[in-house]
Amino acid sequence: MRIKPRFLIGGGLIAGAIVYLIITAIRNTAEYYLTVSEVAASADTLKGQPLRIAGRVKPGSVSWDPSSLKLVFTIVPIPDAGGAKSHAMSVDGAGAAGKAGGRSATVALVSTDNGYAADGKSQGEAEAAAMPEGQVGEPDRRRSFGAHPAAFVVISVGQPKPDMFAENRDVIVEGKLISSRTVAADQVLTSCPSKYVPETKK
Amino acid sequence: MVFIGSFALALALLLALYACGASLMGARRKMPALVESASHALWAMAGMVAIATGVLLNALFSSDFAIKYVAQHSSTTLPTFYKITALWGGQEGSLLLWTFLLAIFAAIVAWQNRDTGLELTPYALFTLAAVASFFLIMLNFVTPPFARAFPRPPEGGDLNPLLQNYWMAIHPPSLYTGYVSTTVPFAFAVAAMVSGRLDDAWIRRTRRWALFSWFFLTLGNLFGARWAYEVLGWGGYWAWDPVENAAFMPWLMMTAYLHSVMIQERKDMLKVWNLALIGLAFALTLFGTFITRSGVISSVHSFTQSGLGPYFSTFLGVVVVCYTALLLYRVKLLRSTAELESFLSREAAFLFNNLVLVGIAFAVFWGTVFPIISEAVRGVKITVGPPFFNEVNAPLALALLFLMGVGPLIAWRRASTRNLVANFSMPAVIGVAVGAAAAALGVLQWYVLSALSLAAFVAATVMLEFSRGVMARRRAVNEAAPRALVNLVAKNNRRYGGYIVHLGVAMAFVGIVASSFFKVEVKRSLAPNQTLDIGDYKLKYLGVSGDETFHMERLGARLELSRDGRSLGVLEPARVFYKRQQQPATQIALRTTPSADLYVVFAGLDPKSNLATFQVFLTPLVLWLWAGGFLMALGTVVAMWPDVREREAISRAWERRTLGWQAADTADFEGESF
């Protein structure tokens, strides 16, 4: 088919408009997707930016007040982040909520225990148990665990506690860093419990 | 029994490989007997895969935990219904289902085309057999469904609770049927290019397959949305999850394809474009399978990382490279004599509709793979979520809606001012009037107003076409209106089926826009006898009630619903705990009316304070989405219905081939646009 120039221009304009839409939309909505350690390493530059942070709920740190729907907990790095990152990011049903919940979180400052270092060994074993067979025992690819002790206090207000939220569970926190150690969450997504993936059993 | 299953799969692979070789050699050496034997091999292959599927179903049914797949995806306490659906609850089983469908379709194609000569059919059979061989290699060597569990566990691990829902019983088979049936038009496209038979024969012979595929892709997406709505408990039905996107992209491609092939049939244009579209549609179905099984992109529906990823990406790469090479090799022969004459023409409207559909697919693809690309290029994982997809697709959807109203009514070649006035003044007035009425009722968002106006515009064009047709029949054959309507649709089912689909799309779009813009959400914790207001509704928390079965524990929260002081009964959203998987899930309470859905989630009970937390959504017009989806499916069935005129047209096309191209022209299709 021979195409007259004006149709090429017309088609080109449509294609150009679509590309323009994609570029501006990415600029407007992109979020950094980082692990707790990555955020800790550059907390100053990330302050105020929309983030998605992957981490694990520290045991004993959870406080939930149902009357005000206020959830406060500490996230620590997921052991073996190299292999675990993609695995842990299988967001469960609540995760599919995306931004539907709206941004009703309010900001509150809470002092935190800074020098916290996660209990690497036991959590490492727990994660190994939760990995597909092929990956068990795979060494850290990204960083040696415990080299960057990092933890953030996450404050979420106005959202129900996610279905599968529990201590030691991997979560993704969507929100902003409001101080070097505190995250105001718009949303907390629980990642899959290990049993979502049948291969992890037995 | 297990042995029979593995053996059947091994035989099926051998048969598929034989069919590849025999069909190819039969075509090259012009030996019909060889091609026929390839057909027979495909039938036998379908039988073998059916036996394997039957064996696995039977093992699930009888809880034979000696098979690892059964031990992992079923249990003795799983209700029988879900034992069957566990067939596609896991990696191996769902691949087996995929292969089963492909084998059945290949067998049907072999049967349908048994007397169609040696030009296209052998190469189409070869392509089908080659794709089947790939899946059978996976089933035999990479993810064998009949792998043994050793030692045999006394009890199975159960099906994921999120999948224990009746929509999950029909969503995956529908989607898979839609995915797999794109292989048929794809196979004929390959055949057209390999054989050099580049007229529209390949399109005609697979038109119904393409509609069939579109029908099931539409249903699969809808059922998936409905499942997400009922099971995931966040008040929405679509989250632009990678797997949803993976199902949506082939749908977009097939939608574009179904439109652009009309231009080729009618005007002999867009030949390369059609071949490219069907190639992309097929590649995207493989891509969808790849991303859900490789662990590359995270999603609600991810299967585990299983080592399938590299095989799928390799296969996908081979398919894309070979197909592109074929297309480039034939591009000279694909020149069209006709050309576009005016922006104001049906050809142009269809072309722009195609550009927008492909543009949407590209945006969705880009957003889906963006985290991988940004990590590879910049070393930082940057994600885009639902806001990205909404921001990009919202204006494109409006453009599409506009073109959907214009396309069916505008004249071919070049529309005159008279044509434009005659066809579009009434729909335009109705569109503007609906927009103005909505504004008068207090709708102020420009997007909602444009969407409503355009949807009304589309509906009006469809109504106009129907009423014109009915009037014409009443004048011509003096029929009563209802009878005229039935005959009109029956005699032009492609065209009017398409209009019904358009009406469904407009209706679904209104539902989507209204439910996205005017959703109200209330989240609160209540003590017994406290109340919560949402819209006109009042919910009073009465207390909890629990019950327990072997399979699960259920904790329901009883809420009395009332409006204007009038009681409307008791809602009981619940939290369910599945014992085997040790996993909680939510059971929503839903009250649907045509104007809005009341959707109640019991989000938790705090043991200390005895406060129950609720999340309540009041979402307008959700029902319109499902009703519109139903209309889309209905319209597709109408368009697929066997049609005398079409069969005649096909036989004329055969004659035309024997008589030479120029003897007949497109007059066969005068007045038939769909």
Side-chain angles (χ1 to χ4, degrees), chain B residues 648-660:
Chain B
E648 286 167 358
I650 287 176
S651 59
R652 271 200 299 274
W654 276 101
E655 275 168 41
R656 175 163 57 189
R657 191 168 67 89
T658 28
L659 297 175

Side-chain angles (χ1 to χ4, degrees), chain B residues 355-574:
Chain B
L355 281 177
V356 175
L357 282 166
V358 173
I360 292 175
F362 180 70
V364 171
F365 180 80
W366 190 246
T368 308
V369 300
F370 193 73
I372 308 173
I373 293 176
S374 79
E375 193 170 31
V377 175
R378 294 178 50 191
V380 195
K381 205 162 191 173
I382 297 175
T383 63
V384 293
F388 163 79
F389 295 101
N390 292 336
E391 195 175 320
V392 174
N393 289 326
L396 295 178
L398 287 187
L400 207 54
L401 210 56
F402 173 70
L403 289 166
M404 202 168 83
V406 171
L409 262 67
I410 198 167
W412 290 101
R413 291 184 62 193
R414 183 185 296 275
S416 64
T417 318
R418 231 184 74 215
N419 165 280
L420 292 178
V421 170
N423 283 323
F424 296 110
S425 45
M426 194 275 278
V429 167
I430 288 180
V432 171
V434 166
L441 287 171
V443 177
L444 294 173
Q445 293 89 336
W446 73 267
Y447 188 84
V448 181
L449 290 175
S450 350
L452 286 175
S453 290
L454 285 170
F457 172 69
V458 171
T461 57
V462 172
M463 293 306 172
L464 184 65
E465 278 292 279
F466 269 101
S467 67
R468 278 179 181 167
V470 169
M471 292 302 183
R473 281 198 75 81
R474 293 195 64 181
R475 271 197 306 276
V477 275
N478 200 20
E479 284 173 336
R483 195 186 172 79
L485 180 66
V486 171
N487 282 335
L488 178 75
V489 175
K491 293 231 155 69
N492 300 278
N493 58 336
R494 284 180 80 175
R495 178 180 186 149
Y496 289 96
Y499 289 156
I500 295 171
V501 174
H502 281 189
L503 207 56
V505 173
M507 195 170 171
F509 191 68
V510 169
I512 291 168
V513 170
S515 60
S516 318
F517 272 82
F518 302 115
K519 181 178 199 159
V520 182
E521 183 183 6
V522 173
K523 288 168 281 196
R524 195 163 301 155
S525 297
L526 300 176
N529 291 318
Q530 283 187 327
T531 59
L532 169 161
D533 291 312
I534 184 164
D536 301 340
Y537 292 106
K538 191 183 277 294
L539 285 160
K540 184 178 179 188
Y541 172 48
L542 302 174
V544 291
S545 67
D547 53 81
E548 184 172 358
T549 65
F550 280 118
H551 196 54
M552 55 165 129
E553 288 163 27
R554 182 174 181 280
L555 182 69
R558 294 163 51 77
L559 291 154
E560 189 181 24
L561 176 69
S562 59
R563 184 161 56 182
D564 310 326
R566 216 158 39 83
S567 174
L568 296 169
V570 173
L571 296 178
E572 195 176 317

Side-chain angles (χ1 to χ4, degrees), chain A residues 1-2 4 6 14 25-26 28-29 31 33 52 66 69 86 89 91 96 100 142 158-159 163 196-198, chain B residues 73 160 234 239 298 300 304-305 336 339 341 343 352 366 375 381-383 388 391-392 523 525 575 613:
Chain A
M1 176 171 74
R2 279 206 335 274
K4 289 181 185 166
R6 60 191 166 115
I14 291 181
I26 283 187
N28 292 341
T29 63
E31 294 175 326
Y33 184 25
R52 284 163 75 91
L69 301 178
S86 61
M89 291 316 106
V91 179
R142 292 207 162 189
Q159 303 287 346
D163 254 3
Y196 192 92
V197 180
Chain B
H73 297 94
N160 185 329
W234 60 280
S298 56
V300 196
T304 176
Q305 293 118 306
S336 160
E339 65 175 32
E341 290 182 37
F343 277 116
F352 293 146
W366 190 246
E375 193 170 31
K381 205 162 191 173
I382 297 175
T383 63
F388 163 79
E391 195 175 320
V392 174
K523 288 168 281 196
S525 297
R575 300 184 60 70
T613 307

